[in-house]
Amino acid sequence: MNVPEVISQSEESWLYIILFGVFFLTCTRVKGNFKFAGALLRDIVGVRERENMFDVTMRETSLILFAMLLSACSMGVLLSKGVGLCSGFVLPSAGLALPSAGVEGLLMPALVCMAIAVAYMGVMWVSYYFVGNVFSDSLHAGLWVRGFTSSMAFGSMVFFPLALVALTYPEYAGITAILGLFMLILVKIVFIVKGFRIFFTESSLWVVFLYYLCSLEIIPLSISFGLACCLLS
């Protein structure tokens, strides 16, 4: 076994440690919160305020935060694989090239993409809360934000296994990245539908809704992917 292979396996081991570490922390908060799973699903698709909407324990809040962190770390792994596929095959076949920042190996690209995913979730949380208060009040803005956090937390149940498959079977990395993208699109569609049901009650607001789609859903994702490509390619 040569030195590059040893380094590659060592970096891969660190990624496993990070993913399973966050997964373990999430599991420690699941205990005693199985009823909260139903409330999580209601937050994803429902638009009615729960009677105990303000009765959220620290355990439940930490569960959502750890599950979102697990989603971000898993999405980071999938994003790094997707960027590698794009820069190694798609762009060269199209005659395109991106500047290189010299980020090599397995660990650093994944960590960079994890940081991008965490930053994306943080920025979107602030953006949704701000826009929600502009269009309505803090009550409905909070309902909208809970839909976002719950959907990202729920997505960890798909993103995490896909990230493990991408690490364990590199030959399927492209497929797992595509499946992760489809899952993200599905989560976004459900969240967009919920936002539409909360805020857009008049037909005259369709134009505003289109602006919302471009500014809050399409542009941030495009910037995140473009940033990852520029840093890793």
Side-chain angles (χ1 to χ4, degrees):
M1 181 179 296
N2 55 37
V3 175
E5 289 178 343
V6 174
I7 296 176
S8 175
Q9 291 182 0
S10 176
E11 293 180 339
E12 192 174 89
S13 298
W14 277 109
L15 291 177
Y16 282 119
I17 291 174
I18 293 172
L19 288 177
F20 278 106
V22 179
F23 176 71
F24 174 76
L25 290 174
T26 305
C27 290
T28 60
R29 313 312 294 178
V30 171
K31 184 179 180 181
N33 271 307
F34 293 106
K35 292 182 178 180
F36 185 66
L40 196 71
L41 290 174
R42 288 193 296 272
D43 282 341
I44 295 174
V45 299
V47 296
R48 295 182 59 184
E49 294 290 344
R50 295 187 312 217
E51 293 181 359
N52 60 339
M53 60 166 293
F54 293 109
D55 186 21
V56 180
T57 67
M58 182 63 66
R59 176 179 288 271
E60 293 169 347
T61 301
S62 59
L63 169 61
I64 292 179
L65 291 178
F66 282 132
M68 289 181 66
L69 181 60
L70 180 61
S71 283
C73 293
S74 303
M75 289 168 61
V77 173
L78 297 174
L79 177 59
S80 65
K81 298 295 183 180
V83 170
L85 176 67
C86 183
S87 60
F89 176 74
V90 177
L91 294 180
S93 63
L96 300 175
L98 288 172
S100 176
V103 180
E104 300 177 352
L106 294 174
L107 181 60
M108 285 307 298
L111 291 179
V112 169
C113 290
M114 288 178 186
I116 292 174
V118 171
Y120 169 80
M121 288 189 181
V123 170
M124 296 310 296
W125 189 96
V126 174
S127 300
Y128 289 136
Y129 187 78
F130 175 77
V131 173
N133 278 280
V134 170
F135 277 98
S136 185
D137 51 33
S138 60
L139 192 65
H140 291 88
L143 179 64
W144 198 31
V145 169
R146 286 203 308 276
F148 169 70
T149 55
S150 298
S151 61
M152 288 292 103
F154 191 80
S156 63
M157 291 189 292
V158 175
F159 295 131
F160 176 63
L162 289 177
L164 294 181
V165 172
L167 291 174
T168 307
Y169 302 99
E171 63 271 20
Y172 297 118
I175 297 177
T176 56
I178 293 174
L179 292 176
L181 176 61
F182 283 153
M183 179 60 188
L184 180 61
I185 292 174
L186 178 61
V187 168
K188 282 293 184 180
I189 289 176
V190 174
F191 176 69
I192 289 171
V193 171
K194 175 171 181 173
F196 184 80
R197 293 171 62 193
I198 293 174
F199 298 108
F200 301 97
T201 56
E202 300 178 9
S203 59
S204 60
L205 293 175
W206 275 102
V207 175
V208 178
F209 183 67
L210 293 177
Y211 279 119
Y212 149 73
L213 284 179
C214 293
S215 60
L216 278 184
E217 300 301 342
I218 298 176
I219 293 178
L221 282 176
S222 301
I223 292 176
S224 299
F225 182 75
L227 179 61
C229 288
C230 290
L231 292 177
L232 303 184
S233 300

